[in-house]
Amino acid sequence: MSLTHFFQHFTNAIYLGSLYALIAIGYTMVYGILRLINFAHGELLIVGAFIAYYGILIFHLPWWLSFLVAIALGAFVGVSLDRIAYRPLRQRDAPRISLLVSAIGASFFLQNIGLVIIGGRHKAFYRPPFFAQTTQLGEVSVMNFLFVIPLITLLILGGVFFLVYRTRTGMAMRALAKDYPTARLMGININRIIAYTFALGSALAAIGGIMYAMRYPAIHPLAGVLPGIKCFIAAVVGGIGNVPGAVIGGFLLGFLEIMGIAFFPHLAGYRDAIAFIVLLLILSFKPTGLMGEQVVEKV
Amino acid sequence: MTKKQMLILFIGVVIVAGFLVYANLTFDAYMLRVLNLIAIYMSAALGLCLINGFTGQFSLGIAGFMAVGAYAASLVTLPIAAKETIFFITPLIWPFNSLELPFVAGIIFAAIVTAIFSFLIGFPVLRLRGDYLAIATLGFSEIIRVVSTNTVSITNGALGLRSIPPYTNIWWSFGFAAFALFVIWRLINSSYGRAFKAIRDNDVAAEAMGIGLFKHKLLAFVVGSTLAGVSGAFLAHLLTAIDPAMFRFFLTFNVLLMIVLGGMSSITGAVLGASIVTFLFEFLRYLDSPMDLGFITIPGAPGLRMVIFSTLLIVMILFRRQGLMGSKELTFEWIEKQLARFGGKKGKPREGDNHANP
Amino acid sequence: MLGKRFGVLLVLLAFIMVFSGTGLADEVRIGVYEPLTGPMAAGGQMTLEGIRLAHALYPTVLGKEVRLFVEDNKTDKAEAALTVSRLIELHRVNAIIGSYGSSLAMSGGPVAKTAGIPVMGCSPTHPLVTQDNDYYFRACFIDPFQGHIMATYAYHTLGIREVAIIQDIAQDYSVGLAHFFREAFVELTGDPASVVGMSSYQTLDTDFTAQLTYLRGLNPEAVFAPGYYGDVALLITQARELGMEIPFLGGDACEAPEFIEIGGENVEGVAISTHYSADAPVTEESTKFVDAFYEKYGHAPSAFAALGYDAYLLILDAIQRADSTDPQDIRDALAQTEGFEGATGFITMDEGGDAVKTGIILQVEDGEFKYAGSVEPQ
């Protein structure tokens, strides 16, 4: 493989990795506080993308307004999801398994209601022209959009850090993540904090979904499944609940996927398995993730 | 078992067998197919019930094991001539390309291969708990699917296998379901079963009491997955054509729905759940196509079936998470009580009976 | 109390629904099984448009009314078998049309064969669909020929001597077509190394950059991508983003309006093989079909709609010739179809039950699929 090739692969990997990182942040936040694998997170991605899509198509909103509306509505959908499918179980102190089953049900529900209403055929997502242009850096082609994504990710990281470490709500979130029962005893309004967490996580999902749709401008109701799982894996790899870890996990996964195929092109068909193999390796050797802390099991 | 219980069992078996004979003679091919599917899913649900419900290990990998069983059995029973036609891009490897064995051999081979797979997979996976176990088993299931799509020389990849001899009939499928029922029932009512339930309820305490956690988890996992694998083999010989796309997460979702509906910790629940969900799956097909009721035509909404199923799952888990049966079973005692009540109504006064009006 | 009565009503309704397959003997029943949901929904829906149009234009045969029973097989093989079984047992159809998607057709085939009901496929192109199955026919050509079409076009019209292939490894259609294209191309060039490289992806994948960068490095003159329209449109878009200007070639599964919607200018100039072109009507029936289609649906018909239309007409023609609605007679008459004038051309069934027809090549020009040539059957 020539050097140019390598650089092109490298660029592709950064591109993919930054997308995964962006989406993984939302996943990890919700899990960190709720200890819930929100299976429906992948669907929240696509819900955001579709709201943006229809905003442009039906309501003729300018693209940036449509995106903002999608993020807001996406947060709303996420909070509703919690209200309907998860909160009742929490209030009954249901076992974790029940939450997981509910999440799986919610995920399938969103996918299929999308199929019924929208249909299964791909829809072309709008791409603002500036993003679509490619720049040539030497022999390597780079889409302008590539420069935007890490920027957005950094902004989001900054925003999230501010929220979590500099606000009272954020402190409550951290308390909840660290010690759920005690936080309850301390009088924190659990349901409200969780709703905030979901709102934030779903808004991030919507942002991630829109970014994803701009990168791969063909969306359909099932398009969120694979990125959802892969980004969950990225979050686990980085250390679930750990936001910088999610970013690292996302990039790592993106790199492994692209470089794996770059060095072993005949394994291209196995590409989707790479994420799962990485998951199993991490779970076998360092289940708390690369940046996770060792959690001592108290009996 | 008391003599009375054996009599009840005997009568029960006769009724079921009689129904099957009747079905075999009078039902058309479509309804027979649905009946077979019910039995096959019943076996898979029983397997999942053992792992998830009784031992509390939330495995989402059942589809992968069904795939393993399906392919293992089919590769062994497919006629050699068919193999050459089907594997026309990449030839099938030895020894499969020269094997053509009877159905029983296929089933046994499927059981052995699935047992080995689940044994090996159990090692890394069963050390995990709760959500991680779930996602790890899901991961393995997906890996199996991706690998089977790519290892064309064994599975024929996306082209899949077809012309699988249609060996599955009512007797095989229900026979195996009965066998699975028997195995699980015996396992649950033994010291192993008690250990499983102890692990499910509180594994730390169980370990403190001296129960070997890993050994028991592995046992449940292997037995449950093997049952699922063999049910996959039956599925292959019913559909006569399989491909990797059939065994994706959607299949696991369906089996999961069955045990959630029936009651995760109930054998009767698994049986009920499988029957109801499979039947509903067919029955609700009406919602997908336009309904012509003569006077009005309701336009169909394809995909509505799955919306209903996922709603059903959520509703069940929210409002009745123990499912229809909870942890209860259809026991002999219950049957005896019902019969006694029936006998009591016929005029024979018994102590403590309420003389309820019909 | 209310619950009980409601329950009884529900059960009654259930019975009505389950058994509303019993019908009148004075009608001809044709079943249709297509993927109306799932990844292949586009193809199934397009085909259904054509079938319904044909039904609207030709609602009777031999003095009897024709009734259509449409079932959705959800792009699932198990469902495909079940829907065929249902059409046969519950709805008691005399003949069946379907399915888009060769793997689905291959699942439904054995069921129909066992029951002795003939099936006319509209667009499944995999050879195994009709092989060993006397009851399965198709109105379209098969993939060995389709591979030959694009290989010929690449070699003779575009002058390509070195090509790369990227296939959807999870679709038997794609794997098969890639294989046949490769065979045909190597035969034309006489050099196995003329296919410089082959890569794969899975259906509904979105990122093809690694595979495309790899192929780019092998310097092919063109790339053949026999996948489904959504994936291929994305793929070509990414290829252009990577600076690949070489021509891309596709198969009939690329023919969908979404291909152009998603690909935009990136797919300008892409050529695909297909069964039919609205701007190159080959028979009088073609013109009639196109006009009626525009009137009913308001947009141009796809090849799948045209094939659906022809499938319906072929069955009616067979019934007419057999002068009977008995499935066995229909089957025999279908096997003897010769020179039948359909919308997609003059159709003759060969011994395998496959249609011998001309292959059409379409090219994307100014945001539309335009006729770009044809290849005669060998």
Side-chain angles (χ1 to χ4, degrees):
Chain A
M1 193 191 321
S2 71
L3 206 57
T4 327
H5 266 141
F6 179 75
F7 275 127
Q8 181 69 68
H9 281 300
F10 189 81
T11 316
N12 296 338
I14 297 199
Y15 210 162
L16 187 62
S18 56
L19 264 180
Y20 283 165
L22 182 59
I23 300 172
I25 295 177
Y27 231 131
T28 212
M29 277 201 69
V30 173
Y31 190 90
I33 298 183
L34 285 147
R35 300 274 166 236
L36 162 73
I37 301 184
N38 188 7
F39 260 93
H41 199 90
E43 275 60 60
L44 290 173
L45 281 178
I46 285 304
V47 162
F50 265 110
I51 297 177
Y53 171 76
Y54 281 116
I56 297 174
L57 190 72
I58 299 185
F59 298 103
H60 304 292
L61 299 172
W63 61 266
W64 51 271
L65 185 60
S66 197
F67 288 0
L68 287 173
V69 168
I71 295 171
L73 281 182
F76 175 71
V77 170
V79 174
S80 318
L81 175 69
D82 173 59
R83 229 2 176 62
I84 299 173
Y86 304 146
R87 207 220 274 200
L89 290 172
R90 263 203 314 275
Q91 283 173 333
R92 279 171 236 169
D93 270 330
R96 288 261 292 280
I97 301 290
S98 303
L99 281 164
L100 201 53
V101 172
S102 188
I104 295 176
S107 168
F108 266 90
F109 177 80
L110 285 171
Q111 283 174 34
N112 284 288
I113 202 95
L115 281 178
V116 171
I117 298 178
I118 300 172
R121 297 164 73 152
H122 291 75
K123 307 262 184 265
F125 194 79
Y126 177 76
R127 235 190 213 175
F130 168 69
F131 291 158
Q133 285 164 351
T134 43
T135 333
Q136 286 287 124
L137 298 176
E139 289 235 8
V140 174
S141 294
V142 181
M143 221 168 92
N144 286 352
F145 194 47
L146 171 56
F147 301 112
V148 173
I149 301 183
L151 225 70
I152 306 251
T153 311
L154 273 172
L155 278 171
I156 288 183
L157 263 179
V160 164
F161 259 125
F162 178 79
L163 204 74
V164 169
Y165 285 99
R166 293 260 181 277
T167 65
R168 286 192 64 182
T169 315
M171 190 155 58
M173 285 182 188
R174 276 183 289 139
L176 219 57
K178 198 143 192 125
D179 192 336
Y180 193 88
T182 312
R184 283 171 85 167
L185 289 171
M186 288 294 165
I188 293 180
N189 187 337
I190 300 287
N191 285 326
R192 187 133 61 91
I193 299 299
I194 291 185
Y196 278 141
T197 313
F198 258 101
L200 185 59
S202 311
L204 290 175
I207 296 177
I210 292 173
M211 298 280 131
Y212 193 82
M214 279 204 277
R215 170 69 179 108
Y216 306 112
I219 53 175
H220 55 94
L222 301 179
V225 178
L226 212 51
I229 297 185
K230 288 189 181 173
C231 295
F232 173 72
I233 295 178
V236 169
V237 164
I240 196 88
N242 187 311
V243 172
V247 174
I248 293 182
F251 274 103
L252 190 63
L253 202 61
F255 263 85
L256 285 171
E257 248 192 69
I258 301 265
M259 288 313 190
I261 306 302
F263 285 105
F264 304 104
H266 300 287
L267 294 183
Y270 289 94
R271 183 172 164 160
D272 290 338
I274 292 181
F276 290 110
I277 294 177
V278 170
L279 172 73
L280 292 167
L281 287 173
I282 273 283
L283 287 180
S284 300
F285 296 113
K286 199 164 195 305
T288 49
L290 295 174
M291 305 252 307
E293 319 125 359
Q294 271 307 110
V295 174
V296 177
E297 277 273 342
K298 289 222 199 97
V299 177
Chain B
M1 234 197 290
T2 66
K3 263 209 182 137
K4 194 163 183 194
Q5 289 176 338
M6 284 183 60
L7 184 64
I8 295 176
L9 182 65
F10 181 68
I11 294 179
V13 170
V14 166
I15 294 179
V16 172
F19 169 72
L20 290 180
V21 170
Y22 172 72
N24 219 14
L25 292 174
T26 57
F27 281 8
D28 61 40
Y30 170 64
M31 296 184 73
L32 275 179
R33 188 177 274 265
V34 177
L35 218 52
N36 270 310
L37 278 176
I38 289 181
I40 290 174
Y41 281 124
M42 218 186 275
S43 316
L46 283 168
L48 194 62
C49 178
L50 178 66
I51 306 174
N52 290 25
F54 283 109
T55 321
Q57 305 301 298
F58 198 69
S59 162
L60 288 177
I62 205 90
F65 293 118
M66 286 177 86
V68 170
Y71 272 99
S74 309
L75 284 173
V76 148
T77 61
L78 258 180
I80 298 179
K83 281 172 181 156
E84 293 188 6
T85 318
I86 299 166
F87 285 81
F88 68 92
I89 294 188
T90 322
L92 178 58
I93 55 167
W94 185 89
F96 294 117
N97 58 3
S98 34
L99 277 178
E100 189 177 328
L101 298 176
F103 194 35
V104 179
I107 298 293
I108 295 179
F109 185 62
I112 295 176
V113 174
T114 318
I116 295 177
F117 263 77
S118 54
F119 185 78
L120 293 173
I121 290 178
F123 272 95
V125 143
L126 290 173
R127 284 186 292 149
L128 307 164
R129 303 161 79 175
D131 307 348
Y132 287 129
L133 173 62
I135 204 86
T137 46
L138 175 62
F140 264 113
S141 190
E142 286 295 297
I143 291 178
I144 289 178
R145 188 180 58 81
V146 172
V147 168
S148 49
T149 309
N150 281 278
T151 45
V152 189
S153 53
I154 303 179
T155 60
N156 209 18
L159 302 170
L161 305 178
R162 65 187 274 271
S163 307
I164 304 175
Y167 289 136
T168 307
N169 57 31
I170 289 282
W171 303 113
W172 274 110
S173 55
F174 274 92
F176 181 68
F179 173 72
L181 202 63
F182 177 71
V183 165
I184 303 241
W185 182 70
R186 291 286 284 168
L187 206 55
I188 292 300
N189 286 319
S190 69
S191 62
Y192 287 113
R194 288 190 286 277
F196 293 153
K197 291 186 214 175
I199 295 176
R200 173 194 65 198
D201 293 335
N202 190 332
D203 54 355
V204 180
E207 195 173 19
M209 296 300 284
I211 295 178
L213 277 189
F214 186 71
K215 187 176 86 160
H216 284 90
K217 286 185 194 177
L218 193 61
L219 179 65
F221 191 69
V222 171
V223 171
S225 304
T226 307
L227 286 175
V230 176
S231 76
F234 281 104
L235 188 65
H237 289 82
L238 174 73
L239 300 176
T240 71
I242 55 173
D243 70 344
M246 273 171 58
F247 300 102
R248 56 193 197 281
F249 186 60
F250 180 68
L251 180 59
T252 303
F253 172 82
N254 280 336
V255 183
L256 183 66
L257 176 61
M258 290 172 196
I259 63 171
V260 168
L261 180 65
M264 274 168 75
S265 308
S266 164
I267 298 179
T268 324
V271 169
L272 266 181
S275 316
I276 296 177
V277 171
T278 311
F279 175 71
L280 265 184
F281 209 68
E282 279 314 298
F283 171 66
L284 287 179
R285 206 181 273 279
Y286 280 92
L287 295 170
D288 283 0
S289 4
M291 261 186 279
D292 188 10
L293 294 178
F295 41 94
I296 46 167
T297 312
I298 307 174
L304 202 55
R305 258 200 290 175
M306 279 317 297
V307 173
I308 293 187
F309 274 124
S310 33
T311 314
L312 185 62
L313 185 66
I314 298 181
V315 164
M316 280 310 292
I317 206 79
L318 282 178
F319 297 113
R320 202 180 156 82
R321 87 178 93 102
Q322 64 271 43
L324 288 174
M325 297 296 298
S327 309
K328 297 195 281 226
E329 304 281 359
L330 180 69
T331 58
F332 286 115
E333 288 77 22
W334 184 84
I335 297 180
E336 285 175 31
K337 222 173 28 166
Q338 300 306 312
L339 289 175
R341 275 235 312 249
F342 199 63
K345 275 191 191 150
K346 276 199 169 155
K348 247 210 283 182
R350 291 161 66 93
E351 256 137 53
D353 248 23
N354 289 345
H355 294 281
N357 293 328
Chain C
M1 259 299 105
L2 192 66
K4 234 189 189 166
R5 286 210 208 117
F6 185 63
V8 170
L9 194 66
L10 221 61
V11 172
L12 226 66
L13 200 64
F15 267 115
I16 296 177
M17 290 198 213
V18 170
F19 293 111
S20 72
T22 51
L24 316 147
D26 218 20
E27 55 181 17
V28 174
R29 303 170 145 224
I30 299 186
V32 177
Y33 79 115
E34 293 286 348
L36 301 173
T37 53
M40 296 193 195
Q45 287 169 9
M46 290 192 273
T47 311
L48 190 58
E49 284 180 339
I51 299 175
R52 288 212 193 275
L53 180 66
H55 183 227
L57 292 181
Y58 301 93
T60 58
V61 69
L62 291 184
K64 304 190 193 170
E65 218 188 287
V66 178
R67 229 177 121 184
L68 277 185
F69 290 87
V70 179
E71 293 276 349
D72 172 21
N73 61 38
K74 306 170 145 5
T75 319
D76 182 78
K77 286 175 91 138
E79 290 286 305
L82 267 170
T83 48
V84 172
S85 188
R86 218 171 124 82
L87 285 169
I88 296 176
E89 306 294 343
L90 211 58
H91 297 303
R92 308 232 150 274
V93 297
N94 306 83
I96 300 179
I97 301 178
S99 164
Y100 177 95
S102 302
S103 55
L104 303 170
M106 284 195 269
S107 286
V111 182
K113 180 177 176 183
T114 316
I117 304 284
V119 188
M120 175 61 76
C122 314
S123 58
T125 46
H126 198 287
L128 287 182
V129 170
T130 53
Q131 206 174 53
D132 305 330
N133 195 334
D134 293 332
Y135 286 84
Y136 223 109
F137 301 88
R138 57 181 127 205
C140 59
F141 50 61
I142 56 179
D143 282 330
F145 179 56
Q146 188 169 191
H148 169 77
I149 298 176
M150 284 323 278
T152 308
Y153 179 77
Y155 188 81
H156 289 296
T157 315
L158 298 179
I160 307 284
R161 294 294 177 265
E162 286 194 336
V163 77
I165 305 178
I166 177 165
Q167 64 180 0
D168 179 343
I169 202 161
Q171 292 296 332
D172 44 15
Y173 156 83
S174 186
V175 173
L177 189 49
H179 169 77
F180 293 120
F181 172 84
R182 175 188 222 142
E183 259 183 15
F185 194 76
V186 167
E187 201 185 308
L188 284 170
T189 58
D191 176 14
S194 58
V195 176
V196 298
M198 177 116 117
S199 192
S200 323
Y201 62 89
Q202 297 236 357
T203 323
L204 296 186
D205 266 356
T206 47
D207 191 287
F208 311 93
T209 48
Q211 292 97 316
L212 288 169
T213 309
Y214 161 68
L215 289 180
R216 187 181 80 174
L218 299 170
N219 283 317
E221 294 167 34
V223 175
F224 181 58
Y228 282 88
Y229 62 93
D231 304 335
V232 177
L234 267 183
L235 193 159
I236 300 182
T237 306
Q238 279 166 34
R240 304 297 183 224
E241 287 164 14
L242 286 171
M244 289 171 87
E245 304 291 340
I246 52 178
F248 269 76
L249 308 165
D252 64 333
C254 283
E255 189 186 343
E258 284 86 353
F259 182 71
I260 301 183
E261 262 170 49
I262 297 171
E265 351 171 288
N266 295 313
V267 295
E268 281 289 315
V270 169
I272 63 171
S273 54
T274 185
H275 314 265
Y276 162 86
S277 167
D279 5 297
V282 274
T283 62
E284 271 180 34
E285 193 69 37
S286 309
T287 326
K288 177 175 179 183
F289 165 69
V290 174
D291 294 337
F293 195 92
Y294 260 109
E295 208 186 299
K296 185 169 163 104
Y297 296 109
H299 60 87
S302 63
F304 304 110
L307 286 168
Y309 183 87
D310 277 351
Y312 180 90
L313 293 187
L314 279 164
I315 292 184
L316 251 58
D317 172 67
I319 295 177
Q320 196 83 40
R321 277 183 288 117
D323 197 25
S324 145
T325 57
D326 176 59
Q328 187 60 40
D329 297 334
I330 300 179
R331 190 253 136 213
D332 293 333
L334 277 172
Q336 287 162 357
T337 306
E338 208 176 309
F340 174 78
E341 185 184 338
T344 57
F346 292 97
I347 304 173
T348 302
M349 290 290 155
D350 67 10
E351 315 92 53
D354 308 319
V356 182
K357 294 164 77 181
T358 315
I360 306 282
I361 298 171
L362 295 178
Q363 203 174 26
V364 180
E365 211 181 289
D366 296 327
E368 273 179 8
F369 281 115
K370 296 236 168 63
Y371 177 79
S374 59
V375 176
E376 293 302 319
Q378 297 156 292

